Amino acid sequence: MDDVRATSAWVASRSSHVLVDSSGIEKVVETIESIPKVVWDFEGIHYFDNGPLTVQYLFVLDALNFCFWPDKELSYDHLASGLKAALQNDKSAFDADRLQKYTGPELRELLKWPRPLPLEDERVRLLREVGCELERSFEGKAANIVESCGKSAVKLVAVITQHFPGFRDHSLYKGHQVFLYKRAQIFAADLWGAFNGQGYGEFNDIGSITIMADYIVPAVLRQLGVLKYSSTLASIIDANSEIGPGSEEEVELRACSIYAVEKMRELISMKSGKQVLSVELDLWLWSFGIQCPSLTHHRTLSIYY
């Protein structure tokens, strides 16, 4: 995750459209006595059986965890609870051989969603990619990926991005490669949260994980005064206009969010004298954001978040 931190800092130092406001960070940190502990499954929407089937569920979930905004009625909750219900109904629903065969209409039926999903063809392609590579390299089981990583979240992210191209979330920015790895990191974070840091969720280096740069966190940071946008970018976002994937604006929104929260984490740790995890900050900011329906986020069609 050093690459994620270093390249995000590189973007933040050269950003043209997004500014990380140091005084804004200090003001937010001054108001924080401690990071509220947000229970991972506070909404009760995830499948959990304390075993390898939960790992399989989370891997499928995080393979599909992107781009809900084009359908105003669709959210992450629908995906998580829909996959949970599908697995409760049929324990073999996410077997590797079956993942390779799903069609768009079958995925919709699985989720009980009445119309085509945003980026549906990509979702099906990624499901098949996951099924193929799980069968080819991990005996069909996501739990075998986790067990091969020796309780290292960093190694887990590396293995996933090595074996599954759909998780290779990086961009070119001003001639420099930038690593963001939202969905690979969130798989490690979900395991840690679901298993409460034990069993499949035990990682000796969970502190290495950064925040997961998506739509919600940049919008929350803007509202908190931590991120400042150029007038042009602010106008685009406030008008709900789309921002191209891989554009300078999009990379800056995501990378500056990672950099800003790292700075927040460092200040909170100094203030409290305790280690603060980016995973905990991410969950807090995300839960804050989804409870704020008036929040205006950027809109990018992307398979990465």
Side-chain angles (χ1 to χ4, degrees), residues 24-94:
I25 291 174
E26 290 170 5
K27 286 176 186 174
V28 171
V29 170
E30 282 171 12
T31 66
I32 297 173
E33 290 303 319
S34 62
I35 298 301
K37 294 287 183 184
V38 180
V39 176
W40 177 76
D41 190 27
F42 65 95
E43 296 169 296
I45 57 174
H46 296 94
Y47 179 85
F48 185 73
D49 69 351
N50 203 35
L53 197 54
T54 296
V55 183
Q56 195 87 351
Y57 162 81
L58 290 174
F59 197 46
V60 170
L61 172 66
D62 290 328
L64 299 174
N65 181 7
F66 58 87
C67 205
F68 303 103
W69 63 264
D71 187 327
K72 291 181 180 178
E73 295 180 12
L74 182 66
S75 71
Y76 171 80
D77 289 11
H78 293 110
L79 177 67
S81 59
L83 293 177
K84 174 185 178 180
L87 197 53
Q88 287 173 329
N89 184 55
D90 179 0
K91 291 293 193 286
S92 69
F94 304 148

Side-chain angles (χ1 to χ4, degrees), residues 130-168:
V130 163
C132 284
E133 186 58 17
L134 281 178
E135 187 170 75
R136 189 175 75 92
S137 299
F138 300 100
E139 299 177 353
K141 300 187 184 303
N144 289 339
I145 307 175
V146 181
E147 289 174 354
S148 74
C149 292
K151 300 180 181 177
S152 169
V154 170
K155 187 174 180 185
L156 179 61
V157 171
V159 170
I160 288 170
T161 53
Q162 177 187 349
H163 282 271
F164 301 90
F167 283 85
R168 291 176 194 159

